[in-house]
Amino acid sequence: MKVLLTTDCYTPMVNGVVTSVLTLKQALTAQGHEVRVLTLSRTAHSYQDGDVTYIGAVSAGMIYPGARLRTAPALALLRSIARWRPDVIHSQCEFSTFFMARRLAAATGAPLVHTYHTVYEDYTHYFSPSRRWGRAAVAAFTRWVVGQTACVIAPTEKVRRLLEGYRVASPIAVIPTGIDLSRFTASADDGAARSALRCRLGLPDDAVVLTYVGRLAEEKNLTQLVRYVAGVRDENIRLLLVGDGPYRPTLEQQVRELGIGQRVCFAGMVAPEQVPAYYRAGDLFVSASSSETQGLTYLEALSCGLPALCLRDECLAGVIVDGVNGWQFRDGAEFRTDLRRFLDDPALRVHMSANAAAMARREFSAETFGRRAAELYEQVIQAGRKSAGVA
């Protein structure tokens, strides 16, 4: 099968969409499918590099963090993709490359499948002073985008219910994004590497490190997480924030005002290949975000054997099971209670770590992700042929 993946963001950018696209591409290729990627260039220059086509673009961060808008027509490159004749086109973003995906689908007759990665109503503060107006605008835009597809993929039941609430017309399939588990497999020297990284970060070997990985942005609710950590009167607790973003100055000021500068480490941006080491340097993954569609960092942490302590959210149903591989808290009191359980029972910590890795391997592998996506492609292709009267 020939599969074209379209996405506004791609490597070297690091976020959940990029991770999902890279994982899907790798999994489909391993299954014998021919996969190409259409994405936006980091400059105004359009070009082809192997199986990836880059279309010239400029920054549009005022619309959405990290967003870029196509500027170059690149008609020759798009005609080359059309001549390749993809069997299915799978779009991952709703902006520039979606319009190109739609045009290519019309030109080739390939069905258009779309994954809805982002809960945009949690980001309306970037473009609307009114949350109510912003949500209505997001719902209308989503209906328009999804209405032009043969099928939309929701990474979780939370997203499926959201799309149903928006009254989208296209069929919805729930396919959890998988991860490349090989990146998170522990090696024999992990103990030494863990100690060396902790030393470099100024984290004591005997400290209990609570690790967050992701963008430092307002919608991630990190100010609440910092307050929760400050409320834990245990000098042996450290909070490790891995990532960067526009909210970092606010968080740094909050840490200073709370007087917990010695207990919070800002690691900054980390190269993707180094991220597993930062997970393994921690003892417990933490998050207070409610803006995730699935939360790939949760899966990555679990795969590293890191139990999770996260704000209760629909996207975590079946991912974080209370008392098995972590806990989902509802407020600061539950955060402190669950953390105390973790701190006071070393045997439980070992047991939860083993459960975390085992459940991730079983439910969220890249192979499972690729297989489910390919099965959906086949169903959509067959449905298109049937509706067109082709045997």
Side-chain angles (χ1 to χ4, degrees), residues 321-342:
V321 181
D322 285 347
V324 177
N325 63 350
W327 292 276
Q328 296 185 50
F329 63 85
R330 283 171 288 199
D331 52 33
E334 287 192 357
F335 177 90
R336 290 188 293 273
T337 297
D338 294 335
L339 179 58
R340 181 48 55 189
R341 289 174 183 162
F342 185 78

Side-chain angles (χ1 to χ4, degrees), residues 63-354:
I63 298 175
Y64 175 74
R68 297 186 66 77
L69 291 177
R70 171 192 179 188
T71 56
L75 296 179
L77 290 172
L78 294 180
R79 282 196 292 266
S80 175
I81 293 174
R83 287 194 298 271
W84 177 60
R85 305 293 298 182
D87 296 301
V88 64
I89 299 172
H90 186 171
S91 64
Q92 310 285 328
C93 297
E94 292 79 15
F95 301 107
S96 289
T97 53
F98 178 80
F99 292 93
M100 289 185 276
R102 184 182 62 160
R103 175 180 291 185
L104 286 166
T108 63
L112 178 58
V113 175
H114 182 73
T115 293
Y116 196 79
H117 285 284
T118 305
V119 180
Y120 288 106
E121 64 182 68
D122 290 327
Y123 296 76
T124 55
H125 55 273
Y126 286 106
F127 63 85
S128 169
S130 167
R131 182 172 178 84
R132 180 179 178 183
W133 182 90
R135 187 182 191 280
V138 167
F141 176 68
T142 299
R143 283 195 299 273
W144 180 83
V145 169
V146 174
Q148 301 177 74
T149 68
C151 180
V152 60
I153 294 174
T156 61
E157 288 292 333
K158 170 185 176 179
V159 178
R160 179 184 65 79
R161 284 189 284 270
L162 181 75
L163 292 172
E164 289 176 343
Y166 290 162
R167 304 191 310 277
V168 303
S170 297
I172 304 170
V174 178
I175 300 179
T177 299
I179 60 174
D180 179 6
L181 295 177
S182 65
R183 294 180 56 221
F184 305 98
T185 302
S187 61
D189 66 346
D190 274 352
R194 169 186 164 101
S195 294
L197 180 54
R198 281 194 172 209
C199 180
R200 192 160 69 248
L201 294 171
L203 301 170
D205 256 350
D206 61 348
V208 176
V209 176
L210 313 183
T211 302
Y212 166 86
V213 177
R215 269 176 53 82
L216 304 188
E218 181 179 355
E219 62 273 6
K220 299 300 184 180
N221 207 18
L222 288 162
T223 52
Q224 185 178 56
L225 182 62
V226 170
R227 282 198 301 272
Y228 288 166
V229 172
V232 179
R233 304 303 178 185
D234 189 333
E235 292 299 319
N236 201 41
I237 298 293
R238 298 290 191 275
L239 175 61
L240 172 61
L241 300 174
V242 182
D244 214 333
Y247 219 55
R248 178 167 176 169
T250 301
L251 294 172
E252 291 176 329
Q253 180 179 349
Q254 180 189 18
V255 166
R256 287 193 296 269
E257 291 174 351
L258 291 171
I260 57 172
Q262 297 300 314
R263 296 174 55 197
V264 180
C265 173
F266 289 86
M269 286 296 294
V270 172
E273 64 272 13
Q274 296 176 355
V275 169
Y278 281 77
Y279 284 122
R280 289 192 284 267
D283 297 288
L284 186 68
F285 180 81
V286 291
S287 174
S289 173
S290 61
S291 67
E292 311 300 324
T293 54
Q294 182 178 12
L296 293 181
T297 55
Y298 302 161
L299 304 184
E300 293 174 352
L302 295 172
S303 299
C304 285
L306 204 62
L309 177 59
C310 299
L311 183 68
R312 186 171 296 280
D313 191 270
E314 286 182 281
C315 77
L316 298 177
V319 177
I320 298 176
V321 181
D322 285 347
V324 177
N325 63 350
W327 292 276
Q328 296 185 50
F329 63 85
R330 283 171 288 199
D331 52 33
E334 287 192 357
F335 177 90
R336 290 188 293 273
T337 297
D338 294 335
L339 179 58
R340 181 48 55 189
R341 289 174 183 162
F342 185 78
L343 297 175
D344 290 346
D345 193 338
L348 176 64
R349 290 162 62 173
V350 172
H351 183 64
M352 293 180 81
S353 176

